[in-house]
Structure formats: structure tokens, C-alpha cells
Amino acid sequence: LGAGLMWMEENEPSWTLVGHTISEEQHKWIVQDLPKHRFTARLRTYDEPLDSSDGNSKFHAIYSIEAAIHSPDLSKSIIAWSNALEPGGVIVLIDDFLSVGVPHDDPDVSLFARSWLANSVH
């Protein structure tokens, strides 16, 4: 979250950026350890409405990198994210979902399943 927002802040300085994380450790790292930045980081769950405390309740883009897979109800999350978009806004998902045509018993999937996402790929 922090590195992605730092990159966007540097490359798109006119954007207002808000990051949401469910990880207390990640939130603490962003707030305490990252270099000075303009974006806001909020500690929150995935499925709450994505309103903004500054009154701007709609976003042009929502991106999720290696995080959506942790949502307890991805359908509910996608609906909440969709409702928070400006007309024409986009959701970008980058995650460790199984690819089409990859069997669940594939040795690479089994190896991956023993890693940090063990209970999310089967």
C-alpha cells in the first residue's frame, strides 16, 4: 500500500490519494516509517462503504494488490468498492487467484498452498 501510493504520489502529483488497509502493522509502518508523503492511510475493513472524511466520497480508481484474497466476502467487497467509484471509475485487482485451467492438485498450487496464503487457494 505505502510503496504503491508513494509511486502514484510522485508520478501523479495532482491526484488526491487515500489508502485503506486491514493490517495494523502496515498502517503503523506507513504512518511512522515512510518518508514524508501527502496521501492518507486508513485502517479499516474491506466491506465498509469507502467514504472519505473530507467529504469526497467517490474515487476515480480503486486498486488492490495482494489484498482482495483476504476479504472475508469478496463479492461484498467488490460491491462496496463499485459503489465508491465515480462514473467511469475503475477497479484494478492484482491477486493470487488460481488461473483458469490450473488444477487445484497441481504441484505448484500445492506448494503455494503451504505458503502464507495457505487457507485461501483451496
Side-chain angles (χ1 to χ4, degrees):
L1 175 70
L5 288 172
M6 293 287 289
W7 184 90
M8 284 189 250
E9 187 172 277
E10 183 178 316
N11 289 282
E12 298 294 343
S14 65
W15 291 4
T16 301
L17 302 168
V18 179
H20 299 182
T21 181
I22 62 168
S23 167
E24 290 180 13
E25 286 300 313
Q26 185 178 50
H27 184 260
K28 181 180 170 184
W29 176 74
I30 292 166
V31 172
Q32 295 180 358
D33 298 331
L34 275 184
K36 186 177 177 183
H37 54 271
R38 295 183 323 274
F39 65 84
T40 303
R42 296 194 180 124
L43 183 62
R44 58 179 300 119
T45 68
Y46 287 107
D47 304 326
E48 298 171 0
L50 296 176
D51 65 317
S52 176
S53 61
D54 63 5
N56 180 11
S57 61
K58 297 290 183 177
F59 299 92
H60 294 100
I62 295 173
Y63 81 99
S64 172
I65 299 175
E66 305 296 336
I69 201 165
H70 299 292
S71 173
D73 184 341
L74 188 54
S75 294
K76 186 176 177 183
S77 295
I78 298 295
I79 291 168
W81 296 349
S82 297
N83 290 336
L85 288 173
E86 290 277 352
V90 297
I91 296 173
V92 178
L93 272 176
I94 302 168
D95 229 308
D96 293 317
F97 297 110
L98 285 174
S99 298
V100 174
V102 178
H104 285 255
D105 60 351
D106 183 278
D108 289 334
V109 172
S110 296
L111 178 65
F112 182 75
R114 292 191 300 272
S115 72
W116 66 280
L117 293 176
N119 61 4
S120 60
V121 295
H122 288 283

